[in-house]
Amino acid sequence: MALNPEMRASDADRDRVAAALREHCAQGRIDVEELNERLEGVYSAKTLGDLGKVTEDLPEEDLYELPVPSWRQSTPARGMGGGLARLNFRAGWATYAGVNLVCIVIWLLTAVSSGVWYPWWIWVAGPWGAVMLAGQAFGARGDRR
């Protein structure tokens, strides 16, 4: 819904435009003298149309901070063999190995000190390993066309 330019401006509207002007000054679009002139116009504005005239030559959004469209982002070449997926699997397996190594060391220390040799670390290694294997076997195929 477009705002009616004849609608009366509120203090919040004026503050929002003043903050935007200060940001434009900080980014170098306008200098301090022009900022002060425009701020006078902002605080004397009665309608939304008057506020719009103060900022009509300035962008509403900083074009450099907008997200990059998905079609402009670089995509890996199809002939690369899924290098990114392979790197993600390596990181996953490295994490899996590290966590399980810590679990086994804790298990050995507690088993030696208490005499209870129940291999509880299997409940960490087994399901997590099954998920990792399933992901490696079936997960990377979704990227292929």
Side-chain angles (χ1 to χ4, degrees):
M1 176 172 115
L3 295 175
N4 182 358
E6 298 301 318
M7 187 180 299
R8 298 290 285 198
S10 68
D11 289 337
D13 295 327
R14 290 183 193 90
D15 290 340
R16 189 171 27 257
V17 172
L21 285 173
R22 287 186 193 95
E23 184 64 28
H24 288 298
C25 181
Q27 293 176 355
R29 288 193 182 94
I30 58 176
D31 60 13
V32 176
E33 184 178 320
E34 187 177 1
L35 171 66
N36 290 331
E37 292 171 7
R38 289 181 186 231
L39 285 176
E40 287 177 15
V42 165
Y43 289 114
S44 66
K46 298 209 183 299
T47 64
L48 294 177
D50 295 338
L51 287 176
K53 290 176 186 172
V54 174
T55 59
E56 66 187 355
D57 62 331
L58 298 171
E60 289 184 27
E61 295 182 62
D62 190 1
L63 300 178
Y64 291 105
E65 295 190 14
L66 292 176
V68 177
S70 61
W71 58 270
R72 296 269 316 217
Q73 293 176 349
S74 62
T75 56
R78 291 180 188 235
M80 297 296 284
L84 184 60
R86 196 174 316 128
L87 181 64
N88 286 341
F89 281 125
R90 284 186 191 158
W93 283 111
T95 304
Y96 172 80
V99 168
N100 283 303
L101 180 65
V102 169
C103 287
I104 290 172
V105 167
I106 292 171
W107 170 72
L108 279 173
L109 291 174
T110 57
V112 167
S113 65
S114 68
V116 178
W117 290 91
Y118 177 72
W120 57 264
W121 57 269
I122 291 176
W123 292 106
V124 176
W128 189 358
V131 169
M132 292 288 293
L133 284 173
Q136 192 164 1
F138 303 113
R141 285 179 175 67
D143 294 338
R144 297 180 188 156
R145 293 184 181 165

